[in-house]
Amino acid sequence: MAAGAALTLTLVLVPASSAGTTRTVTIGDNFYSPAKMTVKVGTTVRWRWPQDTGDSHDVKLRSAPKGVRRFHSEEAGSAYSFKRKLTVAGTYRIVCTLHDEMRQTITVKR
Ligand SMILES: [Cu+2]
């Protein structure tokens, strides 16, 4: 019973709308899924490479709101993940440097 009470308390203290959530993006050949997404400020975006990706990909930030430090993941073929917390509102454009058509747009809202 004590464990149940503690769980209820946690759910009350952490509303679903709070910042600090994580959204997962799946890497495919040759796409990011989802290709477009909107998240709240403070969301951590995690790019996940599946076990069986047939090709190598990376995640490079090619444009972002002012003041955002650029990031660039490793090149990886499978079983890798990379994450960044997006703390500035605006539009983030991601590209895979190995596949120019592989692009993603993330809108970060307050
Ligand atoms: Cu790629």
Side-chain angles (χ1 to χ4, degrees), residues 27-32 49 53 55-59 76 95-102:
I27 305 259
D29 294 330
N30 296 324
F31 57 88
Y32 301 103
W49 282 246
T53 297
D55 203 349
S56 291
H57 305 287
D58 63 8
V59 170
V95 66
C96 172
T97 62
L98 294 93
H99 307 101
D100 193 53
E101 77 279 14
M102 190 171 163

Side-chain angles (χ1 to χ4, degrees), residues 5-69:
L7 180 61
T8 302
L9 186 62
T10 301
L11 293 174
V12 169
L13 292 174
V14 185
S17 62
S18 77
T21 53
T22 298
R23 293 278 301 273
T24 300
V25 175
T26 300
I27 305 259
D29 294 330
N30 296 324
F31 57 88
Y32 301 103
S33 178
K36 288 187 180 170
M37 65 196 285
T38 300
V39 302
K40 284 196 155 188
V41 164
T43 299
T44 297
V45 176
R46 177 173 170 263
W47 289 267
R48 194 179 69 81
W49 282 246
Q51 293 290 344
D52 57 352
T53 297
D55 203 349
S56 291
H57 305 287
D58 63 8
V59 170
K60 183 181 183 182
L61 181 62
R62 73 182 175 94
S63 73
K66 276 194 180 106
V68 173
R69 201 170 158 203

